[in-house]
PDB file of all heavy atoms in Angstrom:
ATOM      1  N   PRO A 174      66.131 -94.105 -64.981  1.00 97.00           N
ATOM      2  CA  PRO A 174      64.797 -93.955 -64.403  1.00 97.00           C
ATOM      3  C   PRO A 174      64.014 -92.718 -64.837  1.00 97.00           C
ATOM      4  O   PRO A 174      62.838 -92.604 -64.516  1.00 97.00           O
ATOM      5  CB  PRO A 174      65.074 -93.908 -62.899  1.00 97.00           C
ATOM      6  CG  PRO A 174      66.502 -93.551 -62.759  1.00 97.00           C
ATOM      7  CD  PRO A 174      67.201 -94.000 -63.997  1.00 97.00           C
ATOM      8  N   GLY A 175      64.608 -91.784 -65.528  1.00 95.00           N
ATOM      9  CA  GLY A 175      63.806 -90.641 -65.979  1.00 95.00           C
ATOM     10  C   GLY A 175      64.616 -89.372 -66.152  1.00 95.00           C
ATOM     11  O   GLY A 175      64.461 -88.668 -67.146  1.00 95.00           O
ATOM     12  N   LEU A 199      58.142 -94.697 -70.051  1.00 92.00           N
ATOM     13  CA  LEU A 199      58.975 -94.316 -68.909  1.00 92.00           C
ATOM     14  C   LEU A 199      60.421 -93.996 -69.300  1.00 92.00           C
ATOM     15  O   LEU A 199      61.267 -93.808 -68.433  1.00 92.00           O
ATOM     16  CB  LEU A 199      58.954 -95.426 -67.852  1.00 92.00           C
ATOM     17  CG  LEU A 199      57.610 -95.634 -67.148  1.00 92.00           C
ATOM     18  CD1 LEU A 199      57.692 -96.772 -66.146  1.00 92.00           C
ATOM     19  CD2 LEU A 199      57.159 -94.364 -66.440  1.00 92.00           C
ATOM     20  N   GLY A 250      62.942 -97.374 -70.403  1.00 97.00           N
ATOM     21  CA  GLY A 250      63.164 -96.847 -69.057  1.00 97.00           C
ATOM     22  C   GLY A 250      64.020 -97.810 -68.249  1.00 97.00           C
ATOM     23  O   GLY A 250      63.953 -99.029 -68.445  1.00 97.00           O
ATOM     24  N   GLY A 251      64.841 -97.272 -67.352  1.00 98.00           N
ATOM     25  CA  GLY A 251      65.641 -98.115 -66.457  1.00 98.00           C
ATOM     26  C   GLY A 251      66.628 -98.965 -67.211  1.00 98.00           C
ATOM     27  O   GLY A 251      67.304 -98.507 -68.131  1.00 98.00           O
ATOM     28  N   ASP A 252      66.704-100.231 -66.834  1.00 98.00           N
ATOM     29  CA  ASP A 252      67.564-101.199 -67.521  1.00 98.00           C
ATOM     30  C   ASP A 252      66.673-102.072 -68.408  1.00 98.00           C
ATOM     31  O   ASP A 252      65.614-102.517 -67.961  1.00 98.00           O
ATOM     32  CB  ASP A 252      68.303-102.071 -66.500  1.00 98.00           C
ATOM     33  CG  ASP A 252      69.224-103.058 -67.191  1.00 98.00           C
ATOM     34  OD1 ASP A 252      68.753-104.139 -67.598  1.00 98.00           O
ATOM     35  OD2 ASP A 252      70.407-102.725 -67.355  1.00 98.00           O
ATOM     36  N   VAL A 255      65.545-105.505 -66.892  1.00 98.00           N
ATOM     37  CA  VAL A 255      64.849-105.592 -65.601  1.00 98.00           C
ATOM     38  C   VAL A 255      63.379-105.283 -65.857  1.00 98.00           C
ATOM     39  O   VAL A 255      63.010-104.125 -66.059  1.00 98.00           O
ATOM     40  CB  VAL A 255      65.443-104.609 -64.565  1.00 98.00           C
ATOM     41  CG1 VAL A 255      64.664-104.685 -63.248  1.00 98.00           C
ATOM     42  CG2 VAL A 255      66.913-104.907 -64.323  1.00 98.00           C
ATOM     43  N   PHE A 256      62.569-106.293 -65.890  1.00 96.00           N
ATOM     44  CA  PHE A 256      61.135-106.156 -66.183  1.00 96.00           C
ATOM     45  C   PHE A 256      60.899-105.228 -67.379  1.00 96.00           C
ATOM     46  O   PHE A 256      59.981-104.412 -67.372  1.00 96.00           O
ATOM     47  CB  PHE A 256      60.367-105.620 -64.962  1.00 96.00           C
ATOM     48  CG  PHE A 256      60.619-106.412 -63.707  1.00 96.00           C
ATOM     49  CD1 PHE A 256      60.908-105.778 -62.506  1.00 96.00           C
ATOM     50  CD2 PHE A 256      60.560-107.793 -63.721  1.00 96.00           C
ATOM     51  CE1 PHE A 256      61.137-106.506 -61.360  1.00 96.00           C
ATOM     52  CE2 PHE A 256      60.795-108.530 -62.569  1.00 96.00           C
ATOM     53  CZ  PHE A 256      61.085-107.889 -61.388  1.00 96.00           C
ATOM     54  N   GLY A 257      61.763-105.368 -68.376  1.00 94.00           N
ATOM     55  CA  GLY A 257      61.669-104.437 -69.497  1.00 94.00           C
ATOM     56  C   GLY A 257      61.433-105.124 -70.827  1.00 94.00           C
ATOM     57  O   GLY A 257      61.367-104.463 -71.854  1.00 94.00           O
ATOM     58  N   VAL A 279      70.615 -97.582 -65.705  1.00 98.00           N
ATOM     59  CA  VAL A 279      70.402 -97.499 -64.255  1.00 98.00           C
ATOM     60  C   VAL A 279      68.964 -97.922 -63.998  1.00 98.00           C
ATOM     61  O   VAL A 279      68.029 -97.250 -64.445  1.00 98.00           O
ATOM     62  CB  VAL A 279      70.601 -96.056 -63.750  1.00 98.00           C
ATOM     63  CG1 VAL A 279      70.261 -95.945 -62.270  1.00 98.00           C
ATOM     64  CG2 VAL A 279      72.023 -95.587 -64.018  1.00 98.00           C
ATOM     65  N   THR A 280      68.779 -99.039 -63.324  1.00 98.00           N
ATOM     66  CA  THR A 280      67.411 -99.496 -63.111  1.00 98.00           C
ATOM     67  C   THR A 280      66.725 -98.659 -62.035  1.00 98.00           C
ATOM     68  O   THR A 280      67.350 -98.253 -61.045  1.00 98.00           O
ATOM     69  CB  THR A 280      67.363-100.990 -62.732  1.00 98.00           C
ATOM     70  OG1 THR A 280      66.006-101.343 -62.463  1.00 98.00           O
ATOM     71  CG2 THR A 280      68.214-101.327 -61.518  1.00 98.00           C
ATOM     72  N   SER A 281      65.430 -98.435 -62.233  1.00 98.00           N
ATOM     73  CA  SER A 281      64.678 -97.680 -61.227  1.00 98.00           C
ATOM     74  C   SER A 281      64.665 -98.424 -59.894  1.00 98.00           C
ATOM     75  O   SER A 281      64.506 -97.811 -58.839  1.00 98.00           O
ATOM     76  CB  SER A 281      63.245 -97.436 -61.707  1.00 98.00           C
ATOM     77  OG  SER A 281      62.559 -98.665 -61.855  1.00 98.00           O
ATOM     78  N   ALA A 282      64.865 -99.745 -59.946  1.00 98.00           N
ATOM     79  CA  ALA A 282      64.819-100.543 -58.710  1.00 98.00           C
ATOM     80  C   ALA A 282      65.897-100.104 -57.714  1.00 98.00           C
ATOM     81  O   ALA A 282      65.730-100.253 -56.504  1.00 98.00           O
ATOM     82  CB  ALA A 282      65.006-102.021 -59.047  1.00 98.00           C
ATOM     83  N   VAL A 285      65.979 -95.211 -58.192  1.00 98.00           N
ATOM     84  CA  VAL A 285      64.911 -94.399 -57.586  1.00 98.00           C
ATOM     85  C   VAL A 285      65.040 -94.367 -56.060  1.00 98.00           C
ATOM     86  O   VAL A 285      64.993 -93.285 -55.455  1.00 98.00           O
ATOM     87  CB  VAL A 285      63.518 -94.869 -58.078  1.00 98.00           C
ATOM     88  CG1 VAL A 285      62.402 -94.277 -57.235  1.00 98.00           C
ATOM     89  CG2 VAL A 285      63.353 -94.483 -59.543  1.00 98.00           C
ATOM     90  N   LEU A 332      59.753-103.112 -54.610  1.00 98.00           N
ATOM     91  CA  LEU A 332      58.582-103.568 -55.361  1.00 98.00           C
ATOM     92  C   LEU A 332      58.287-102.622 -56.517  1.00 98.00           C
ATOM     93  O   LEU A 332      58.174-101.404 -56.322  1.00 98.00           O
ATOM     94  CB  LEU A 332      57.361-103.633 -54.434  1.00 98.00           C
ATOM     95  CG  LEU A 332      57.575-104.374 -53.103  1.00 98.00           C
ATOM     96  CD1 LEU A 332      56.343-104.237 -52.222  1.00 98.00           C
ATOM     97  CD2 LEU A 332      57.895-105.847 -53.345  1.00 98.00           C
ATOM     98  N   LEU A 333      58.212-103.164 -57.722  1.00 98.00           N
ATOM     99  CA  LEU A 333      57.861-102.381 -58.904  1.00 98.00           C
ATOM    100  C   LEU A 333      56.421-102.702 -59.287  1.00 98.00           C
ATOM    101  O   LEU A 333      55.955-103.842 -59.081  1.00 98.00           O
ATOM    102  CB  LEU A 333      58.798-102.715 -60.074  1.00 98.00           C
ATOM    103  CG  LEU A 333      60.166-102.005 -60.079  1.00 98.00           C
ATOM    104  CD1 LEU A 333      61.073-102.569 -58.991  1.00 98.00           C
ATOM    105  CD2 LEU A 333      60.848-102.132 -61.434  1.00 98.00           C
ATOM    106  N   MET A 334      55.779-101.730 -59.889  1.00 96.00           N
ATOM    107  CA  MET A 334      54.393-101.893 -60.371  1.00 96.00           C
ATOM    108  C   MET A 334      53.471-102.347 -59.231  1.00 96.00           C
ATOM    109  O   MET A 334      52.590-103.189 -59.426  1.00 96.00           O
ATOM    110  CB  MET A 334      54.351-102.911 -61.528  1.00 96.00           C
ATOM    111  CG  MET A 334      55.129-102.441 -62.744  1.00 96.00           C
ATOM    112  SD  MET A 334      55.343-103.694 -64.014  1.00 96.00           S
ATOM    113  CE  MET A 334      56.905-104.416 -63.561  1.00 96.00           C
ATOM    114  N   ILE A 360      58.138 -94.091 -53.477  1.00 98.00           N
ATOM    115  CA  ILE A 360      58.761 -92.982 -54.215  1.00 98.00           C
ATOM    116  C   ILE A 360      58.163 -92.952 -55.615  1.00 98.00           C
ATOM    117  O   ILE A 360      58.358 -93.879 -56.405  1.00 98.00           O
ATOM    118  CB  ILE A 360      60.292 -93.163 -54.302  1.00 98.00           C
ATOM    119  CG1 ILE A 360      60.874 -93.417 -52.905  1.00 98.00           C
ATOM    120  CG2 ILE A 360      60.948 -91.958 -54.960  1.00 98.00           C
ATOM    121  CD1 ILE A 360      61.959 -94.459 -52.884  1.00 98.00           C
ATOM    122  N   ALA A 361      57.424 -91.904 -55.912  1.00 98.00           N
ATOM    123  CA  ALA A 361      56.788 -91.777 -57.232  1.00 98.00           C
ATOM    124  C   ALA A 361      57.573 -90.794 -58.090  1.00 98.00           C
ATOM    125  O   ALA A 361      58.196 -89.859 -57.574  1.00 98.00           O
ATOM    126  CB  ALA A 361      55.353 -91.282 -57.059  1.00 98.00           C
ATOM    127  N   ASP A 362      57.569 -91.031 -59.397  1.00 96.00           N
ATOM    128  CA  ASP A 362      58.261 -90.145 -60.362  1.00 96.00           C
ATOM    129  C   ASP A 362      59.723 -89.933 -59.963  1.00 96.00           C
ATOM    130  O   ASP A 362      60.248 -88.802 -60.033  1.00 96.00           O
ATOM    131  CB  ASP A 362      57.580 -88.777 -60.452  1.00 96.00           C
ATOM    132  CG  ASP A 362      56.255 -88.853 -61.183  1.00 96.00           C
ATOM    133  OD1 ASP A 362      55.949 -89.912 -61.767  1.00 96.00           O
ATOM    134  OD2 ASP A 362      55.512 -87.851 -61.150  1.00 96.00           O
ATOM    135  N   GLY A 363      60.367 -91.015 -59.533  1.00 97.00           N
ATOM    136  CA  GLY A 363      61.744 -90.902 -59.044  1.00 97.00           C
ATOM    137  C   GLY A 363      62.678 -90.282 -60.060  1.00 97.00           C
ATOM    138  O   GLY A 363      62.601 -90.579 -61.252  1.00 97.00           O
ATOM    139  N   THR A 364      63.539 -89.403 -59.596  1.00 97.00           N
ATOM    140  CA  THR A 364      64.572 -88.662 -60.343  1.00 97.00           C
ATOM    141  C   THR A 364      63.999 -87.566 -61.257  1.00 97.00           C
ATOM    142  O   THR A 364      64.752 -86.887 -61.939  1.00 97.00           O
ATOM    143  CB  THR A 364      65.522 -89.565 -61.186  1.00 97.00           C
ATOM    144  OG1 THR A 364      64.861 -89.977 -62.383  1.00 97.00           O
ATOM    145  CG2 THR A 364      66.026 -90.769 -60.409  1.00 97.00           C
ATOM    146  N   LEU A 365      62.683 -87.433 -61.277  1.00 95.00           N
ATOM    147  CA  LEU A 365      62.070 -86.383 -62.109  1.00 95.00           C
ATOM    148  C   LEU A 365      61.749 -85.162 -61.248  1.00 95.00           C
ATOM    149  O   LEU A 365      61.677 -85.277 -60.015  1.00 95.00           O
ATOM    150  CB  LEU A 365      60.792 -86.929 -62.750  1.00 95.00           C
ATOM    151  CG  LEU A 365      61.050 -88.077 -63.750  1.00 95.00           C
ATOM    152  CD1 LEU A 365      59.765 -88.778 -64.126  1.00 95.00           C
ATOM    153  CD2 LEU A 365      61.766 -87.535 -64.986  1.00 95.00           C
ATOM    154  N   PRO A 390      54.277 -93.964 -62.060  1.00 95.00           N
ATOM    155  CA  PRO A 390      55.219 -95.002 -61.653  1.00 95.00           C
ATOM    156  C   PRO A 390      55.758 -94.727 -60.248  1.00 95.00           C
ATOM    157  O   PRO A 390      56.053 -93.577 -59.907  1.00 95.00           O
ATOM    158  CB  PRO A 390      56.347 -94.880 -62.678  1.00 95.00           C
ATOM    159  CG  PRO A 390      56.364 -93.426 -63.037  1.00 95.00           C
ATOM    160  CD  PRO A 390      54.926 -92.968 -62.979  1.00 95.00           C
ATOM    161  N   ALA A 391      55.867 -95.792 -59.484  1.00 97.00           N
ATOM    162  CA  ALA A 391      56.432 -95.634 -58.142  1.00 97.00           C
ATOM    163  C   ALA A 391      57.185 -96.899 -57.751  1.00 97.00           C
ATOM    164  O   ALA A 391      56.884 -97.993 -58.247  1.00 97.00           O
ATOM    165  CB  ALA A 391      55.325 -95.350 -57.134  1.00 97.00           C
ATOM    166  N   ILE A 392      58.133 -96.701 -56.879  1.00 98.00           N
ATOM    167  CA  ILE A 392      58.896 -97.809 -56.298  1.00 98.00           C
ATOM    168  C   ILE A 392      58.519 -97.866 -54.825  1.00 98.00           C
ATOM    169  O   ILE A 392      58.487 -96.830 -54.147  1.00 98.00           O
ATOM    170  CB  ILE A 392      60.420 -97.546 -56.405  1.00 98.00           C
ATOM    171  CG1 ILE A 392      60.884 -97.513 -57.861  1.00 98.00           C
ATOM    172  CG2 ILE A 392      61.220 -98.549 -55.581  1.00 98.00           C
ATOM    173  CD1 ILE A 392      61.007 -98.841 -58.535  1.00 98.00           C
TER     174      ILE A 392
HETATM  175  C1  SAM B 501      57.735-102.222 -66.578  1.00 75.56           C
HETATM  176  S1  SAM B 501      58.704-101.731 -65.206  1.00 75.56           S
HETATM  177  C2  SAM B 501      60.173-101.245 -66.028  1.00 75.56           C
HETATM  178  C3  SAM B 501      61.383-101.204 -65.138  1.00 75.56           C
HETATM  179  C4  SAM B 501      62.614-100.695 -65.835  1.00 75.56           C
HETATM  180  N1  SAM B 501      63.052-101.582 -66.852  1.00 75.56           N
HETATM  181  C5  SAM B 501      63.765-100.424 -64.853  1.00 75.56           C
HETATM  182  O1  SAM B 501      64.798-101.113 -64.882  1.00 75.56           O
HETATM  183  O2  SAM B 501      63.630 -99.481 -64.075  1.00 75.56           O
HETATM  184  C6  SAM B 501      57.941-100.210 -64.795  1.00 75.56           C
HETATM  185  C7  SAM B 501      57.988 -99.906 -63.316  1.00 75.56           C
HETATM  186  O3  SAM B 501      59.262 -99.401 -62.963  1.00 75.56           O
HETATM  187  C8  SAM B 501      59.124 -98.497 -61.884  1.00 75.56           C
HETATM  188  N2  SAM B 501      59.632 -97.197 -62.327  1.00 75.56           N
HETATM  189  C9  SAM B 501      60.205 -96.914 -63.498  1.00 75.56           C
HETATM  190  N3  SAM B 501      60.604 -95.621 -63.544  1.00 75.56           N
HETATM  191  C10 SAM B 501      60.269 -95.088 -62.355  1.00 75.56           C
HETATM  192  C11 SAM B 501      60.419 -93.795 -61.786  1.00 75.56           C
HETATM  193  N4  SAM B 501      61.014 -92.787 -62.436  1.00 75.56           N
HETATM  194  N5  SAM B 501      59.959 -93.581 -60.535  1.00 75.56           N
HETATM  195  C12 SAM B 501      59.386 -94.582 -59.838  1.00 75.56           C
HETATM  196  N6  SAM B 501      59.223 -95.833 -60.331  1.00 75.56           N
HETATM  197  C13 SAM B 501      59.652 -96.074 -61.566  1.00 75.56           C
HETATM  198  C14 SAM B 501      57.653 -98.422 -61.541  1.00 75.56           C
HETATM  199  O4  SAM B 501      57.389 -99.363 -60.521  1.00 75.56           O
HETATM  200  C15 SAM B 501      57.039 -98.839 -62.849  1.00 75.56           C
HETATM  201  O5  SAM B 501      55.718 -99.304 -62.670  1.00 75.56           O
END
Side-chain angles (χ1 to χ4, degrees):
L199 292 179
D252 181 276
V255 178
F256 307 133
V279 175
T280 177
S281 64
V285 167
L332 311 174
L333 278 72
M334 296 170 268
I360 308 140
D362 288 351
T364 78
L365 295 168
I392 295 284

